[in-house]
Amino acid sequence: EVLLAPAGVDLLDLARRNRRSLAGERTPIAGVPLGELRERAQTEILPLARRYSAAMDVGAVPEGDLLLATGHQPVFPHPGIWVKYLLLDRLAGKGHTGLVVIVDSDAMEPAGVDVPSFASSLVERRHEILRSVGPEEPYETQPPPTEDEWARFLDRVDQHIRTVPEAEIREPWQEFLRLPRPSVSSFTAFLTALRRRYEGPRGYLDAPVSAIAESEAFRRFFLHIA
């Protein structure tokens, strides 16, 4: 289930009201009325997101009425991040299009996971890092993990998980280990493919900022700010 605060907010009704209020907005953005720029952005970005998502083998996502979006950096998602994607999937399932914008333009933080370990008499939280880079290096410049890099990371995590007595934790981990290693060209796509394969079929699309930034609508928005 989902905790929504403040309670009583109909997110779909809110999105419809936003669309109505902005559809006729004439504020110029680099010479294009905002309402028109919104339409152009959707026309450019949704096909891009469909191509990107298709490469992840996540299945077809039908056209929808509203466009609902959320996003985050390309990391191993903890529950506070993942709940946004699952809520988006639930809302998209009511006849709408969901879009997760992957913020690969940000400076990369150490990519790792927190895992439980019962190596001692008390449960401990251990942190294992897949990759760490220098300061101010964006995610979008990073290649995917090598086979050896990935195998060593999985082995380190496995050393902790196998000490956990609860099968409810060990069995999903074993399921994750059986997933095929993504054959992709970037670190961002690697983590995205892992997440989508583990989730199973979901009704939303993914698109990285680095790709969206190539669209005309994005560049007009940037030029307006500049």
Side-chain angles (χ1 to χ4, degrees), residues 34 84 96-97 117 121 155 181 202 217 219:
L34 175 57
K84 297 190 298 182
H96 308 289
T97 300
S117 174
S121 59
D155 183 66
R181 182 179 180 276
R202 295 288 173 178
R219 292 182 176 192

Side-chain angles (χ1 to χ4, degrees), residues 3-148:
L3 170 65
L4 183 61
V9 176
D10 186 330
L11 295 177
L12 295 177
D13 179 65
L14 177 62
R16 290 189 184 93
R17 285 188 279 121
N18 283 344
R19 180 171 64 180
R20 284 195 300 270
S21 65
L22 291 171
E25 177 58 55
R26 305 297 296 173
T27 299
I29 305 296
V32 177
L34 175 57
E36 182 181 332
L37 187 68
R38 282 166 48 83
E39 294 180 2
R40 290 191 190 183
Q42 291 192 32
T43 300
E44 289 185 276
I45 293 169
L46 286 178
L48 178 158
R50 292 191 183 280
R51 291 192 299 271
Y52 189 86
S53 300
M56 306 293 162
D57 297 323
V58 298
V61 175
E63 297 284 346
D65 177 25
L66 294 166
L67 175 59
L68 310 169
T70 185
H72 203 84
Q73 291 82 1
V75 298
F76 291 104
H78 58 69
I81 300 170
W82 221 327
V83 71
K84 297 190 298 182
Y85 304 156
L86 301 180
L87 175 59
L88 181 67
D89 174 63
R90 181 179 296 190
L91 295 173
K94 300 179 183 295
H96 308 289
T97 300
L99 175 64
V100 168
V101 177
I102 308 165
V103 190
D104 63 340
S105 54
D106 270 11
M108 181 173 170
E109 298 180 356
V113 293
D114 289 320
V115 291
S117 174
F118 283 82
S120 64
S121 59
L122 297 174
V123 63
E124 298 178 334
R125 183 176 66 179
R126 301 294 180 86
H127 189 71
E128 295 294 344
I129 295 176
L130 171 60
R131 179 179 294 174
S132 183
V133 300
E136 301 306 317
E137 291 189 36
Y139 288 96
E140 66 181 279
T141 65
Q142 291 298 308
T146 64
E147 291 190 14
D148 181 63

